[in-house]
Amino acid sequence: MGAYYDEIEIEDMAWDEVKGVYHYPCPCGDRFEISRKQLTNCEDIATCPSCSLIIRVVYDPLDFEDESPDDEGSASQGSEEDEEESDNSDDDQFEDALENLTLTEPSAALVAAAA
């Protein structure tokens, strides 16, 4: 495609539950829009319905990888509290794994074979 008007991070865009799109203000007075379905399909171009400007949306495609097209309208952007809670549970699992980890010294034969 041609030149982008700008590159905008997904965190700087607002989620519109009614229309089911992320949006960002356009200089023409309207707004750039991109749907979760487009993001799931690794499309990163948001268009303005009123003018010819386009922006590139900077985001991590893995964040949208597990979504099905049916979830598009019902999925909403998570709150920071939810993200913090999920981060804490990952930390707990990591600590549990470390507690269960056992290390044994390799035998002298294996060390000699590796050298």
Side-chain angles (χ1 to χ4, degrees):
M1 247 197 196
Y4 305 115
Y5 169 71
D6 203 353
E7 291 188 358
I8 305 297
E9 294 190 18
I10 192 78
E11 292 84 10
D12 296 331
M13 299 182 80
W15 173 249
D16 184 343
E17 295 252 357
V18 175
K19 292 181 79 176
V21 296
Y22 286 95
H23 62 88
Y24 189 81
C26 180
C28 77
D30 205 345
R31 60 189 188 175
F32 297 102
E33 297 179 343
I34 189 165
S35 69
R36 293 181 75 88
K37 182 177 180 181
Q38 289 173 294
L39 295 169
T40 302
N41 292 332
C42 297
E43 298 175 30
D44 62 352
I45 306 300
T47 58
C48 175
S50 298
C51 70
S52 62
L53 292 178
I54 59 173
I55 58 172
R56 181 174 176 269
V57 179
V58 179
Y59 74 106
D60 184 0
L62 298 177
D63 291 342
F64 296 90
E65 168 178 83
D66 296 332
E67 292 189 23
S68 67
D70 298 338
D71 294 341
E72 182 180 341
S74 63
S76 64
Q77 200 171 11
S79 68
E80 290 181 18
E81 287 181 16
D82 292 342
E83 291 175 10
E84 288 176 12
E85 287 177 15
S86 66
D87 289 343
N88 291 340
S89 65
D90 292 341
D91 291 341
D92 293 340
Q93 291 174 357
F94 181 72
E95 289 174 12
D96 292 341
L98 285 178
E99 290 173 5
N100 297 326
L101 180 67
T102 56
L103 298 176
T104 59
E105 292 190 31
S107 67
L110 290 176
V111 173

